[in-house]
Amino acid sequence: AGLDVSAAEAVLKEEEPKAKAREQMEEALKSMDVGKLQAAVDTAKAAGLGKDEWGELEDAIKQKAEQERLIKEVNASLEESMGCNMKDEDSVRDARDKLKTAISSAIAMGVSESDLMDAEIRRKKLHNTIEDLKGAIRVFCRIRPLNKREEGLGDSMITKQTDPMTLKVGANGEHTFNFDAVFTPGTQDEIFEDCKD
C-alpha cells in the first residue's frame, strides 16, 4: 500500500491554517475583545474559512461596538443630569427619564449592570429627589435571607432584585414590585445611608 505523501502534505498545508483560525476564533469569542475578534476574523478569511464560520465573530464585533456606544450615551446622560436644577421637579424628572431610557437601552443590548452602577445610583437619587419635591413618602423593601430551618426544609428564595428599585416575586418572577429602594438583604449601614438622603 503506497501512501501519497505529497497529497497528504497538501491537505495538511490547507487544513492546518484553518484549524489554527478556528482555535483563534474560539479564544476571541471567550475574551470578547474587539481587537482579538477582528484579528480572528481576518485570520479566518485568510485561511479560507467561509462566512458561516466567522460570521458570528462579526456579529459579536457589531454588538460590542453598539454596547460601547450605549455606555457613552449613558455616561453623557449621567453627566447632563449633574447640571439639572434639583429644586425644579420637571427638570429633575426630565433628567431621570433620559437617564432611565439610556440605562434600559444599554441593558437590553447586554451591557453588564456593573458598568451602569454609577448611572443607576444617580437615577435613584433623581427619583428620590422627585419624591421629596412632591412630598411623597418613600417605601423601602428589605428581603431577609432564609434562616437555617427554612434552608433545612429545602425552601428557596422566590424573590429576585432586577435593579436597585425593582423586585420580582414568585417562582418564575411572575409579580413585579417597584420601591424607592430594594435591599437583598443589605446591611444596616447601607440602609441608613440610603434613608438619610
Side-chain angles (χ1 to χ4, degrees):
L3 291 174
D4 188 353
V5 175
S6 60
E9 287 175 344
V11 169
L12 181 61
K13 187 176 180 180
E14 183 179 328
E15 291 302 318
E16 189 174 29
K18 289 181 180 180
K20 287 183 179 178
R22 287 183 184 106
E23 286 177 23
Q24 186 178 353
M25 289 189 312
E26 191 175 317
E27 290 298 316
L29 276 173
K30 286 180 187 173
S31 75
M32 286 304 286
D33 176 83
V34 174
K36 289 179 181 179
L37 288 165
Q38 188 59 57
V41 168
D42 295 342
T43 301
K45 287 178 180 179
L49 294 177
K51 185 171 183 169
D52 59 315
E53 292 195 64
W54 49 260
E56 181 182 356
L57 274 73
E58 279 195 336
D59 292 343
I61 292 168
K62 288 175 188 168
Q63 180 181 2
K64 200 73 169 151
E66 181 63 9
Q67 287 175 345
E68 288 172 9
R69 184 190 71 76
L70 289 168
I71 288 173
K72 286 179 184 175
E73 192 175 296
V74 167
N75 288 335
S77 295
L78 177 61
E79 189 64 35
E80 186 180 321
S81 77
M82 298 298 187
C84 77
N85 180 354
M86 295 298 277
K87 303 263 187 246
D88 177 44
E89 187 179 333
D90 290 334
S91 175
V92 176
R93 181 175 282 111
D94 289 344
R96 182 208 54 196
D97 291 347
K98 187 172 184 181
L99 193 54
K100 183 178 180 179
T101 300
I103 291 168
S104 295
S105 296
I107 289 172
M109 184 48 78
V111 174
S112 76
E113 291 186 20
S114 62
D115 290 337
L116 304 170
M117 193 56 65
D118 290 342
E120 257 317 330
I121 290 168
R122 178 64 178 169
R123 181 186 66 80
K124 187 174 167 185
K125 175 112 174 123
L126 293 170
H127 173 81
N128 288 341
T129 299
I130 292 167
E131 296 302 303
D132 289 345
L133 290 170
K134 290 190 317 188
I137 295 171
R138 291 198 236 161
V139 179
F140 294 83
C141 176
R142 184 178 189 191
I143 304 298
R144 70 168 176 79
L146 296 175
N147 62 36
K148 292 192 186 315
R149 185 182 71 78
E150 291 165 332
E151 287 175 349
L153 292 171
D155 292 347
S156 61
M157 295 294 287
I158 60 164
T159 59
K160 182 178 188 288
Q161 181 180 6
T162 57
D163 65 44
M165 299 169 75
T166 308
L167 185 72
K168 288 192 179 268
V169 179
N172 298 315
E174 51 267 4
H175 303 288
T176 301
F177 299 95
N178 293 304
F179 299 94
D180 292 299
V182 174
F183 301 94
T184 55
T187 65
Q188 277 309 113
D189 290 337
E190 288 173 330
I191 294 168
F192 176 75
E193 191 63 33
D194 210 307
C195 290
K196 78 176 188 177
D197 282 341

